[in-house]
Amino acid sequence: MSLPNIDTNYLTKFLVDLLNIPSPTGFTQDAIAFVEKELSQFKELELSRTRKGALVAKWQGISDDAPVALTAHVDTLGAMVKDIKPNGRLQLTRIGGLVLNGVETEGCWVHTSKGEKVRGSFMLNMSAAHVYGAKASETKRDEDAMEVRIDARVSNPQETRELGIEIGDFVSFDPRVELTNGFIRSRHLDDKACVAAIVTAIKSLTEASLSPARTVYFHISNYEEVGHGASAGIPPDVHELVTVDMAAIGAGQSSDEYHATICVKDSGGPYHHGLSNKLRQVADANNIPYKVDIYPFYGSDGEAFWRAGGDVAVALIGPGVDASHNYERTHIDALTATTNWILAYLLS
Ligand SMILES: [Zn+2]
């Protein structure tokens, strides 16, 4: 049996829309609501939210034996206001493994607790080359050396507070999405690219009037970047958990932007050999191009569930993403391969 068609225009549009919704870990309600609204058009799905705020979609399969789950996360790197400085600017504390020089000079939003948005940009304190000379390039980029320059007339903490800004407000960085020659360049392709792949796979199946072979739960996680996203929300009757998350590209890595990858080992150790082999077999049987890789500095939501005591087989697949946790890039070929792999697995 051949796999159903993938609507790549839909995949790309959904991905771009999701990328443009700010969702640093802890502030994911808009992104979760967006995915929920999209999935609500598929009547086969039974939607619910966990108390922690993740989205779960259940799809009754042809067989109810040994249900499976797929997880991908909508939360992203970001920051929070740590302090309002004497000059009225903001010192930040990172959320997740943000690479600070990767967001230097980037536009950002401060999300106040009252729901207002204040615009600014993230700068080195000593960024003026005509004043600080070599320090503008040589200063080590860390939280103390950088600040948010707010686009408002503020020069002291009181004026900043009058904008509604307080310590603890979330800060999101502009994703800067651009599509060129099949490449998708944006922050936070980790892991919105995989959420888009899952939603597109669901659309492909429903349009082909197909059902998953086994009952499946789609878990859209909202705390992955801090290490405990899928530690809750995977139902206890699930036998296999396929984590769908980005593949790491760089020196010594086999992953690239044109393939999906199966990761067999990362910082958390080996994945489940039997499930990994099964995923390889379904990829081979459906001519899905993939790589096998090991990620040196990486943990996944599947492992978070393992650490929380989840008794399931866990595997990890996903598209190659260049410059991860930085200004990322992938290609539609990797997204298509990932979506096909999800389809093949669901039908297996
Ligand atoms: Zn991720």
Side-chain angles (χ1 to χ4, degrees), residues 73 75 190-191 224-225 244-246 298-299 325:
H73 63 96
D75 65 305
D190 172 15
D191 186 29
E224 194 275 347
E225 290 292 1
V244 191
D245 208 335
M246 53 141 282
Y298 196 108
H325 284 193

Side-chain angles (χ1 to χ4, degrees), residues 258-325:
Y258 314 107
H259 291 78
T261 295
I262 182 158
C263 173
V264 290
K265 177 181 179 290
D266 63 17
S267 307
Y271 283 88
H272 189 272
H273 189 50
L275 181 56
S276 296
N277 271 347
K278 179 179 172 182
L279 284 161
R280 292 194 226 205
Q281 284 157 13
V282 299
D284 290 336
N286 290 280
N287 299 314
I288 297 164
Y290 68 95
K291 304 278 188 178
V292 181
D293 213 347
I294 290 166
Y295 307 153
F297 300 100
Y298 196 108
S300 79
D301 242 349
E303 289 165 334
F305 187 54
W306 261 349
R307 289 212 170 78
D311 181 20
V312 292
V314 174
L316 170 62
I317 62 170
V321 168
D322 189 63
S324 57
H325 284 193

